[in-house]
Coordinates of all heavy atoms in Angstrom, one line a residue:
M1 N 61.5 18.1 -12.3 CA 60.3 18.7 -12.7 C 59.9 19.8 -11.7 O 59.9 19.6 -10.6 CB 59.2 17.6 -12.8 CG 57.9 18.1 -13.0 SD 56.6 16.8 -13.0 CE 57.4 15.7 -14.1
S2 N 59.6 21.0 -12.2 CA 59.2 22.0 -11.3 C 57.8 21.9 -10.9 O 56.9 21.3 -11.6 CB 59.4 23.4 -12.0 OG 58.5 23.5 -13.0
I3 N 57.5 22.5 -9.8 CA 56.1 22.5 -9.3 C 55.1 23.2 -10.3 O 54.0 22.7 -10.5 CB 56.0 23.2 -7.9 CG1 56.7 22.3 -6.9 CG2 54.5 23.4 -7.5 CD1 56.8 22.9 -5.5
S4 N 55.6 24.3 -10.9 CA 54.7 25.0 -11.8 C 54.3 24.1 -13.0 O 53.3 24.3 -13.6 CB 55.4 26.3 -12.3 OG 56.6 26.0 -13.0
S5 N 55.2 23.1 -13.3 CA 54.8 22.3 -14.5 C 53.7 21.4 -14.2 O 53.1 20.7 -15.0 CB 56.0 21.5 -14.9 OG 56.4 20.5 -14.0
L6 N 53.3 21.3 -12.9 CA 52.2 20.4 -12.5 C 50.9 21.2 -12.2 O 50.0 20.7 -11.7 CB 52.6 19.6 -11.3 CG 53.6 18.5 -11.6 CD1 54.0 17.8 -10.3 CD2 53.1 17.5 -12.6
E7 N 50.9 22.5 -12.5 CA 49.8 23.4 -12.2 C 48.5 22.9 -12.9 O 47.4 23.0 -12.3 CB 50.0 24.8 -12.6 CG 50.9 25.5 -11.6 CD 51.3 26.9 -12.0 OE1 50.8 27.4 -13.1 OE2 52.0 27.6 -11.3
W8 N 48.6 22.2 -14.0 CA 47.5 21.7 -14.7 C 46.7 20.7 -13.9 O 45.5 20.5 -14.1 CB 47.9 21.1 -16.0 CG 48.8 19.9 -15.9 CD1 50.2 20.0 -16.0 CD2 48.5 18.5 -15.7 NE1 50.7 18.7 -15.8 CE2 49.7 17.8 -15.7 CE3 47.3 17.9 -15.6 CZ2 49.7 16.4 -15.5 CZ3 47.3 16.5 -15.4 CH2 48.5 15.8 -15.4
T9 N 47.3 20.1 -12.9 CA 46.6 19.0 -12.1 C 45.5 19.6 -11.3 O 44.5 18.9 -11.0 CB 47.6 18.3 -11.2 OG1 48.2 19.2 -10.3 CG2 48.7 17.5 -12.0
A10 N 45.5 20.9 -11.1 CA 44.5 21.6 -10.3 C 43.1 21.5 -11.1 O 42.1 21.6 -10.5 CB 44.8 23.0 -9.9
A11 N 43.2 21.4 -12.4 CA 42.0 21.4 -13.2 C 41.6 20.0 -13.6 O 40.7 19.9 -14.4 CB 42.2 22.3 -14.4
A12 N 42.3 19.0 -13.2 CA 42.1 17.6 -13.6 C 40.7 17.2 -13.2 O 40.3 17.4 -12.1 CB 43.1 16.7 -13.0
A13 N 40.0 16.5 -14.1 CA 38.7 16.0 -13.8 C 38.8 14.9 -12.8 O 37.8 14.5 -12.1 CB 38.0 15.5 -15.1
C14 N 39.9 14.3 -12.6 CA 40.1 13.2 -11.6 C 40.7 13.6 -10.3 O 41.1 12.8 -9.5 CB 41.0 12.1 -12.2 SG 42.6 12.6 -12.7
R15 N 40.8 14.9 -10.1 CA 41.5 15.5 -9.0 C 40.9 15.1 -7.6 O 41.6 15.1 -6.6 CB 41.7 17.0 -9.0 CG 40.4 17.8 -8.8 CD 40.6 19.2 -9.1 NE 39.4 20.0 -9.0 CZ 38.5 20.0 -10.0 NH1 38.6 19.3 -11.1 NH2 37.3 20.7 -9.8
N16 N 39.7 14.7 -7.6 CA 39.0 14.4 -6.3 C 38.9 12.8 -6.1 O 38.0 12.4 -5.4 CB 37.6 15.0 -6.3 CG 37.7 16.5 -6.2 OD1 38.6 17.0 -5.6 ND2 36.8 17.1 -6.9
G17 N 39.8 12.1 -6.6 CA 39.9 10.7 -6.4 C 39.8 9.8 -7.6 O 40.3 10.2 -8.6
H18 N 39.1 8.7 -7.5 CA 38.9 7.7 -8.6 C 40.2 7.0 -8.9 O 40.3 6.4 -9.9 CB 38.5 8.4 -9.9 CG 37.3 9.3 -9.8 ND1 36.1 8.8 -9.4 CD2 37.1 10.6 -10.0 CE1 35.2 9.8 -9.4 NE2 35.8 10.9 -9.7
R19 N 41.2 7.0 -8.0 CA 42.4 6.3 -8.3 C 42.2 4.8 -8.7 O 42.8 4.3 -9.6 CB 43.4 6.3 -7.1 CG 44.8 5.8 -7.4 CD 45.7 5.6 -6.3 NE 47.0 5.3 -6.8 CZ 47.4 4.2 -7.4 NH1 46.5 3.2 -7.5 NH2 48.6 4.0 -7.8
E20 N 41.2 4.2 -8.1 CA 40.9 2.8 -8.4 C 40.4 2.6 -9.8 O 40.4 1.5 -10.3 CB 40.0 2.2 -7.3 CG 38.5 2.7 -7.4 CD 38.3 4.1 -6.9 OE1 39.3 4.7 -6.4 OE2 37.2 4.6 -7.0
V21 N 39.9 3.6 -10.4 CA 39.4 3.6 -11.7 C 40.6 3.7 -12.7 O 40.6 3.1 -13.8 CB 38.3 4.6 -12.0 CG1 37.9 4.6 -13.4 CG2 37.1 4.4 -11.1
F22 N 41.5 4.5 -12.4 CA 42.6 4.8 -13.3 C 43.8 3.9 -13.3 O 44.6 3.8 -14.2 CB 43.1 6.3 -13.1 CG 42.1 7.3 -13.5 CD1 41.1 7.8 -12.7 CD2 42.2 7.8 -14.8 CE1 40.2 8.7 -13.1 CE2 41.2 8.7 -15.2 CZ 40.2 9.2 -14.4
F23 N 43.9 3.2 -12.1 CA 45.1 2.3 -12.0 C 44.6 0.8 -11.7 O 43.6 0.7 -11.0 CB 46.0 2.8 -10.9 CG 46.7 4.1 -11.3 CD1 46.1 5.3 -10.9 CD2 47.8 4.1 -12.1 CE1 46.7 6.5 -11.3 CE2 48.4 5.3 -12.5 CZ 47.9 6.5 -12.1
P24 N 45.3 -0.1 -12.1 CA 44.9 -1.5 -11.9 C 45.0 -1.9 -10.4 O 45.8 -1.3 -9.6 CB 46.0 -2.4 -12.6 CG 47.0 -1.4 -13.0 CD 46.6 0.0 -12.9
P25 N 44.2 -2.8 -9.9 CA 44.2 -3.2 -8.5 C 45.4 -4.1 -8.2 O 46.1 -4.5 -9.1 CB 42.9 -4.0 -8.4 CG 42.7 -4.6 -9.8 CD 43.2 -3.5 -10.7
A26 N 45.6 -4.3 -6.9 CA 46.8 -5.1 -6.5 C 46.6 -6.6 -6.9 O 47.5 -7.3 -7.1 CB 47.0 -5.0 -5.0
H27 N 45.3 -7.0 -6.9 CA 45.0 -8.4 -7.3 C 45.0 -8.5 -8.8 O 44.9 -7.6 -9.6 CB 43.7 -8.9 -6.7 CG 42.5 -8.1 -7.2 ND1 42.0 -7.0 -6.6 CD2 41.7 -8.4 -8.3 CE1 41.0 -6.6 -7.3 NE2 40.8 -7.4 -8.3
L28 N 45.0 -9.8 -9.3 CA 44.9 -10.1 -10.7 C 43.6 -9.5 -11.3 O 42.6 -9.8 -10.7 CB 45.0 -11.6 -10.9 CG 44.9 -12.0 -12.4 CD1 46.1 -11.5 -13.2 CD2 44.8 -13.5 -12.5
E29 N 43.7 -8.8 -12.3 CA 42.5 -8.2 -12.9 C 42.2 -8.9 -14.2 O 43.0 -9.0 -15.1 CB 42.8 -6.7 -13.2 CG 41.6 -6.0 -13.7 CD 41.9 -4.5 -13.9 OE1 43.0 -4.2 -14.4 OE2 41.1 -3.6 -13.5
H30 N 41.0 -9.5 -14.3 CA 40.6 -10.2 -15.5 C 40.3 -9.2 -16.6 O 40.1 -8.0 -16.4 CB 39.3 -11.0 -15.2 CG 39.6 -12.1 -14.3 ND1 40.4 -13.3 -14.6 CD2 39.3 -12.3 -13.0 CE1 40.5 -14.0 -13.5 NE2 39.8 -13.5 -12.5
R31 N 40.4 -9.7 -17.8 CA 40.3 -8.8 -19.0 C 39.0 -8.0 -19.0 O 39.0 -6.8 -19.3 CB 40.3 -9.6 -20.3 CG 40.4 -8.8 -21.5 CD 40.3 -9.6 -22.8 NE 41.2 -10.7 -22.9 CZ 41.3 -11.5 -23.9 NH1 40.6 -11.4 -24.9 NH2 42.2 -12.5 -23.9
E32 N 37.9 -8.7 -18.6 CA 36.6 -8.0 -18.6 C 36.5 -6.9 -17.5 O 36.0 -5.8 -17.8 CB 35.4 -8.9 -18.3 CG 35.2 -10.0 -19.4 CD 36.2 -11.1 -19.3 OE1 36.9 -11.3 -18.3 OE2 36.4 -11.9 -20.3
E33 N 37.1 -7.2 -16.4 CA 37.2 -6.2 -15.3 C 38.0 -5.0 -15.8 O 37.7 -3.8 -15.6 CB 37.9 -6.7 -14.1 CG 37.1 -7.7 -13.2 CD 38.0 -8.1 -12.1 OE1 38.8 -9.1 -12.3 OE2 38.0 -7.5 -11.0
R34 N 39.1 -5.3 -16.4 CA 40.0 -4.2 -16.9 C 39.3 -3.3 -17.9 O 39.4 -2.1 -17.9 CB 41.3 -4.8 -17.5 CG 42.3 -3.8 -18.0 CD 43.5 -4.4 -18.7 NE 44.2 -3.4 -19.3 CZ 45.5 -3.2 -19.1 NH1 46.2 -3.9 -18.3 NH2 46.2 -2.2 -19.8
S35 N 38.6 -4.0 -18.8 CA 37.9 -3.2 -19.9 C 36.9 -2.3 -19.3 O 36.8 -1.1 -19.6 CB 37.2 -4.2 -20.8 OG 38.1 -4.8 -21.6
A36 N 36.1 -2.8 -18.3 CA 35.1 -2.0 -17.6 C 35.7 -0.8 -16.9 O 35.3 0.3 -16.9 CB 34.3 -2.9 -16.7
R37 N 36.8 -1.1 -16.1 CA 37.5 -0.1 -15.4 C 38.0 1.0 -16.3 O 37.9 2.2 -16.1 CB 38.6 -0.7 -14.5 CG 39.4 0.3 -13.7 CD 40.5 -0.3 -12.9 NE 41.5 -1.1 -13.7 CZ 42.4 -0.5 -14.5 NH1 42.5 0.8 -14.6 NH2 43.2 -1.3 -15.2
E38 N 38.7 0.6 -17.4 CA 39.3 1.5 -18.3 C 38.3 2.4 -19.0 O 38.5 3.5 -19.2 CB 40.2 0.8 -19.3 CG 41.5 0.3 -18.6 CD 42.5 -0.2 -19.6 OE1 42.2 -0.4 -20.8 OE2 43.6 -0.4 -19.2
E39 N 37.1 1.7 -19.3 CA 36.1 2.5 -19.9 C 35.5 3.6 -19.0 O 35.3 4.7 -19.5 CB 34.9 1.5 -20.3 CG 33.8 2.1 -21.1 CD 34.2 2.7 -22.4 OE1 35.1 2.2 -23.0 OE2 33.7 3.8 -22.8
L40 N 35.4 3.3 -17.7 CA 35.0 4.3 -16.8 C 36.0 5.5 -16.7 O 35.6 6.7 -16.8 CB 34.9 3.7 -15.4 CG 33.6 3.0 -15.1 CD1 33.7 2.4 -13.7 CD2 32.4 4.0 -15.1
A41 N 37.3 5.1 -16.7 CA 38.3 6.1 -16.6 C 38.3 7.0 -17.8 O 38.4 8.2 -17.8 CB 39.7 5.5 -16.4
K42 N 38.2 6.4 -19.0 CA 38.2 7.1 -20.3 C 37.0 8.0 -20.4 O 37.1 9.1 -21.0 CB 38.3 6.1 -21.4 CG 39.6 5.4 -21.5 CD 39.7 4.4 -22.7 CE 41.0 3.8 -22.8 NZ 41.1 2.8 -23.9
R43 N 35.9 7.7 -19.8 CA 34.8 8.6 -19.8 C 35.0 9.8 -19.0 O 34.6 10.9 -19.4 CB 33.5 7.8 -19.2 CG 32.6 7.4 -20.3 CD 31.3 6.9 -19.8 NE 31.3 5.4 -19.8 CZ 30.6 4.7 -19.0 NH1 29.8 5.1 -18.1 NH2 30.6 3.4 -19.2
I44 N 35.8 9.7 -17.9 CA 36.1 10.8 -17.1 C 37.1 11.7 -17.9 O 37.0 12.9 -17.9 CB 36.7 10.4 -15.7 CG1 35.6 9.7 -14.9 CG2 37.2 11.6 -15.0 CD1 36.1 9.0 -13.7
C45 N 38.1 11.1 -18.5 CA 39.1 11.8 -19.3 C 38.5 12.5 -20.5 O 39.1 13.6 -20.8 CB 40.2 10.8 -19.8 SG 41.2 10.0 -18.5
K46 N 37.5 12.0 -21.0 CA 37.0 12.5 -22.3 C 36.7 14.0 -22.2 O 37.0 14.8 -23.2 CB 35.7 11.7 -22.6 CG 35.1 12.1 -24.0 CD 34.0 11.1 -24.3 CE 33.1 11.5 -25.4 NZ 32.2 12.6 -25.1
D47 N 36.1 14.5 -21.1 CA 35.8 15.9 -21.0 C 36.8 16.6 -20.1 O 36.5 17.8 -19.7 CB 34.4 16.0 -20.4 CG 33.4 15.4 -21.4 OD1 33.5 15.6 -22.6 OD2 32.4 14.8 -20.9
C48 N 37.9 16.0 -19.8 CA 38.9 16.7 -18.9 C 39.5 17.8 -19.6 O 40.1 17.7 -20.7 CB 39.9 15.7 -18.4 SG 41.2 16.4 -17.4
P49 N 39.6 19.0 -19.0 CA 40.2 20.2 -19.7 C 41.7 20.1 -19.8 O 42.3 20.9 -20.6 CB 39.7 21.4 -18.8 CG 39.5 20.8 -17.5 CD 39.0 19.4 -17.7
V50 N 42.3 19.2 -19.1 CA 43.8 19.1 -19.2 C 44.3 17.8 -19.7 O 45.4 17.3 -19.4 CB 44.4 19.4 -17.8 CG1 44.2 20.9 -17.4 CG2 43.9 18.5 -16.7
R51 N 43.5 17.2 -20.6 CA 43.8 15.9 -21.1 C 45.1 15.9 -21.9 O 45.9 15.0 -21.7 CB 42.7 15.5 -22.1 CG 42.8 14.1 -22.6 CD 41.6 13.7 -23.4 NE 41.9 12.5 -24.1 CZ 41.0 11.8 -24.8 NH1 39.8 12.3 -24.9 NH2 41.3 10.7 -25.3
L52 N 45.4 16.9 -22.7 CA 46.7 16.9 -23.4 C 47.9 17.1 -22.5 O 48.9 16.4 -22.7 CB 46.6 18.0 -24.5 CG 45.7 17.8 -25.6 CD1 45.7 18.9 -26.6 CD2 46.0 16.4 -26.3
E53 N 47.7 17.9 -21.5 CA 48.8 18.1 -20.5 C 49.1 16.8 -19.8 O 50.3 16.4 -19.6 CB 48.5 19.2 -19.5 CG 48.5 20.6 -20.1 CD 47.2 21.0 -20.7 OE1 46.3 20.1 -21.0 OE2 47.0 22.2 -21.0
C54 N 48.0 16.1 -19.4 CA 48.2 14.8 -18.7 C 48.8 13.8 -19.6 O 49.8 13.1 -19.2 CB 46.7 14.4 -18.3 SG 46.7 12.8 -17.5
L55 N 48.4 13.7 -20.8 CA 49.0 12.7 -21.7 C 50.5 13.0 -22.0 O 51.3 12.1 -22.0 CB 48.2 12.7 -23.1 CG 48.7 11.7 -24.1 CD1 48.6 10.3 -23.6 CD2 47.8 11.8 -25.4
D56 N 50.8 14.3 -22.2 CA 52.2 14.7 -22.4 C 53.0 14.3 -21.2 O 54.1 13.8 -21.4 CB 52.2 16.2 -22.6 CG 53.6 16.7 -23.0 OD1 54.2 16.2 -23.9 OD2 54.1 17.6 -22.2
Q57 N 52.5 14.6 -20.0 CA 53.3 14.2 -18.8 C 53.5 12.7 -18.8 O 54.6 12.3 -18.4 CB 52.5 14.6 -17.6 CG 52.9 14.0 -16.3 CD 53.6 15.0 -15.4 OE1 53.5 16.2 -15.6 NE2 54.1 14.6 -14.3
A58 N 52.5 11.9 -19.0 CA 52.7 10.4 -19.0 C 53.7 10.0 -20.0 O 54.5 9.1 -19.7 CB 51.3 9.8 -19.2
V59 N 53.6 10.5 -21.2 CA 54.5 10.1 -22.3 C 55.9 10.5 -21.9 O 56.9 9.7 -22.1 CB 54.0 10.6 -23.6 CG1 55.1 10.4 -24.7 CG2 52.7 10.0 -24.1
S60 N 56.1 11.7 -21.5 CA 57.4 12.3 -21.1 C 58.1 11.4 -20.0 O 59.3 11.2 -20.0 CB 57.3 13.7 -20.6 OG 56.9 14.5 -21.7
N61 N 57.2 11.0 -19.0 CA 57.8 10.2 -17.9 C 57.7 8.7 -18.1 O 58.0 8.0 -17.2 CB 57.0 10.6 -16.6 CG 57.2 12.0 -16.2 OD1 58.2 12.6 -16.5 ND2 56.3 12.5 -15.4
R62 N 57.3 8.3 -19.3 CA 57.2 6.9 -19.7 C 56.4 6.1 -18.6 O 56.9 5.1 -18.1 CB 58.5 6.3 -19.9 CG 59.2 7.0 -21.0 CD 60.5 6.4 -21.4 NE 61.1 7.1 -22.5 CZ 62.3 6.8 -23.0 NH1 63.0 5.8 -22.5 NH2 62.8 7.5 -24.0
E63 N 55.3 6.7 -18.2 CA 54.4 6.0 -17.2 C 54.0 4.7 -17.8 O 53.5 4.6 -18.9 CB 53.2 6.9 -16.9 CG 53.4 8.2 -16.3 CD 53.8 8.0 -14.8 OE1 53.7 6.9 -14.2 OE2 54.2 9.1 -14.2
I64 N 54.2 3.6 -17.0 CA 53.9 2.3 -17.5 C 52.6 1.8 -17.0 O 52.1 0.7 -17.4 CB 55.0 1.3 -17.2 CG1 55.3 1.2 -15.8 CG2 56.2 1.7 -18.0 CD1 56.3 0.1 -15.4
H65 N 51.9 2.5 -16.1 CA 50.7 2.0 -15.5 C 49.6 3.1 -15.6 O 49.9 4.2 -15.5 CB 50.8 1.6 -14.0 CG 51.7 0.4 -13.8 ND1 51.5 -0.8 -14.3 CD2 52.9 0.3 -13.2 CE1 52.5 -1.6 -14.0 NE2 53.4 -0.9 -13.3
G66 N 48.4 2.6 -15.8 CA 47.2 3.5 -15.6 C 46.8 4.2 -16.9 O 47.4 4.1 -17.9
I67 N 45.6 4.8 -16.7 CA 45.0 5.7 -17.8 C 45.5 7.1 -17.5 O 45.3 7.7 -16.5 CB 43.5 5.6 -17.7 CG1 43.0 4.2 -17.8 CG2 42.9 6.5 -18.7 CD1 43.1 3.6 -19.2
W68 N 46.1 7.7 -18.6 CA 46.6 9.1 -18.5 C 46.1 9.7 -19.8 O 46.3 9.1 -20.9 CB 48.1 9.1 -18.4 CG 48.7 8.7 -17.2 CD1 48.8 7.4 -16.8 CD2 49.3 9.5 -16.2 NE1 49.5 7.3 -15.6 CE2 49.8 8.6 -15.2 CE3 49.5 10.9 -16.0 CZ2 50.4 9.1 -14.0 CZ3 50.1 11.3 -14.8 CH2 50.6 10.4 -13.9
G69 N 45.5 10.8 -19.7 CA 45.1 11.5 -20.9 C 44.1 10.7 -21.8 O 44.0 10.9 -23.0
G70 N 43.4 9.8 -21.2 CA 42.4 9.0 -21.9 C 43.0 7.8 -22.6 O 42.3 7.0 -23.3
L71 N 44.3 7.5 -22.4 CA 44.9 6.3 -23.0 C 45.5 5.4 -22.0 O 46.1 5.8 -21.0 CB 46.0 6.8 -24.0 CG 45.7 7.7 -25.1 CD1 46.9 8.0 -26.0 CD2 44.5 7.2 -26.0
N72 N 45.4 4.1 -22.3 CA 46.1 3.1 -21.4 C 47.5 2.9 -21.8 O 48.0 3.5 -22.8 CB 45.3 1.8 -21.4 CG 45.3 1.1 -22.7 OD1 46.1 1.3 -23.5 ND2 44.3 0.2 -22.9
E73 N 48.2 2.0 -21.2 CA 49.7 1.8 -21.4 C 49.9 1.5 -22.9 O 50.8 2.0 -23.5 CB 50.2 0.7 -20.5 CG 50.0 0.9 -19.0 CD 48.7 0.2 -18.6 OE1 47.6 0.8 -18.9 OE2 48.7 -0.8 -18.0
E74 N 49.2 0.5 -23.4 CA 49.4 0.0 -24.7 C 49.1 1.2 -25.8 O 49.9 1.3 -26.7 CB 48.6 -1.2 -25.0 CG 48.7 -1.7 -26.4 CD 50.1 -2.1 -26.9 OE1 50.9 -2.5 -26.0 OE2 50.4 -1.9 -28.0
E75 N 48.1 1.9 -25.5 CA 47.7 3.0 -26.4 C 48.8 4.1 -26.4 O 49.1 4.7 -27.5 CB 46.4 3.5 -26.1 CG 45.2 2.6 -26.3 CD 43.9 2.9 -25.6 OE1 44.0 3.6 -24.6 OE2 42.9 2.4 -26.0
R76 N 49.4 4.3 -25.3 CA 50.5 5.3 -25.2 C 51.7 4.8 -25.9 O 52.4 5.6 -26.6 CB 50.8 5.7 -23.7 CG 49.7 6.5 -23.0 CD 50.2 7.1 -21.8 NE 50.7 6.2 -20.8 CZ 50.0 5.5 -19.9 NH1 48.7 5.6 -19.9 NH2 50.5 4.6 -19.1
R77 N 52.0 3.5 -25.8 CA 53.2 3.0 -26.4 C 53.0 3.1 -28.0 O 53.9 3.5 -28.7 CB 53.3 1.5 -26.1 CG 54.3 1.3 -24.9 CD 54.8 -0.1 -24.8 NE 53.7 -1.1 -24.7 CZ 53.2 -1.4 -23.5 NH1 53.6 -0.9 -22.4 NH2 52.2 -2.3 -23.4
R78 N 51.8 2.8 -28.4 CA 51.5 2.9 -29.9 C 51.7 4.3 -30.4 O 52.2 4.6 -31.4 CB 50.1 2.4 -30.2 CG 50.1 0.9 -30.6 CD 48.7 0.5 -31.1 NE 48.0 -0.2 -30.0 CZ 46.7 0.0 -29.7 NH1 46.0 0.8 -30.3 NH2 46.2 -0.7 -28.7
L79 N 51.2 5.2 -29.5 CA 51.3 6.7 -29.9 C 52.8 7.1 -30.1 O 53.0 8.0 -30.9 CB 50.7 7.5 -28.8 CG 50.5 9.0 -29.0 CD1 49.4 9.3 -30.0 CD2 50.1 9.6 -27.6
T80 N 53.7 6.6 -29.3 CA 55.0 7.0 -29.4 C 55.9 6.2 -30.3 O 57.1 6.6 -30.5 CB 55.7 7.0 -27.9 OG1 55.6 5.6 -27.5 CG2 55.0 7.9 -27.0
R81 N 55.4 5.2 -30.9 CA 56.1 4.4 -31.9 C 56.3 5.2 -33.2 O 55.5 5.9 -33.6 CB 55.5 3.1 -32.2 CG 55.9 2.0 -31.2 CD 55.4 0.7 -31.5 NE 55.1 -0.1 -30.3 CZ 54.0 -0.8 -30.1 NH1 53.1 -0.9 -31.0 NH2 53.9 -1.4 -28.9
Ligands
SF4_1 S1 43.0 13.3 -18.7 FE1 42.1 11.7 -17.3 S2 43.8 11.0 -16.0 FE2 44.4 12.9 -17.0 S3 44.0 14.5 -15.5 FE3 42.2 14.4 -16.9 S4 40.8 12.9 -15.9 FE4 42.8 12.7 -14.9

């Protein structure tokens, strides 16, 4: 992957952090915690100007963790079926 293909990340709404919102914690995460965390992440993604680029990158790389382009792992799997 070339560096230029990641230029979109400069415009990402999450570029200033929030990793803990987009990815699961190291400890066991209960369903309610996960739902609340993912809801927060999706709210950030909703108005992100590079949402499609982000989603495309995640699908292309078969990212198995986290919220990318406003979708979680299961939602991305469903999208590609
Ligand atoms: S769509 Fe969401 S995860 Fe992707 S760059 Fe934008 S804010 Fe970050």
Side-chain angles (χ1 to χ4, degrees):
M1 172 181 311
S2 68
I3 290 174
S4 62
S5 69
L6 291 175
E7 283 176 0
W8 60 267
T9 60
C14 61
R15 70 188 175 283
N16 293 325
H18 309 297
R19 190 189 188 290
E20 71 285 357
V21 174
F22 288 88
F23 294 95
H27 66 268
L28 177 65
E29 185 177 43
H30 295 287
R31 187 187 308 179
E32 296 78 17
E33 284 179 276
R34 179 184 172 125
S35 287
R37 177 181 58 73
E38 288 190 348
E39 185 58 36
L40 278 176
K42 289 177 178 184
R43 258 189 256 156
I44 296 169
C45 294
K46 186 171 168 285
D47 297 319
C48 179
V50 292
R51 185 175 173 174
L52 290 180
E53 289 86 345
C54 176
L55 182 57
D56 183 55
Q57 164 110 8
V59 169
S60 298
N61 291 339
R62 299 183 181 178
E63 294 286 351
I64 57 171
H65 297 295
I67 300 288
W68 292 73
L71 300 183
N72 66 22
E73 305 91 285
E74 178 56 32
E75 291 163 339
R76 290 195 301 276
R77 268 197 300 273
R78 266 188 259 136
L79 186 71
T80 57
R81 271 185 214 138

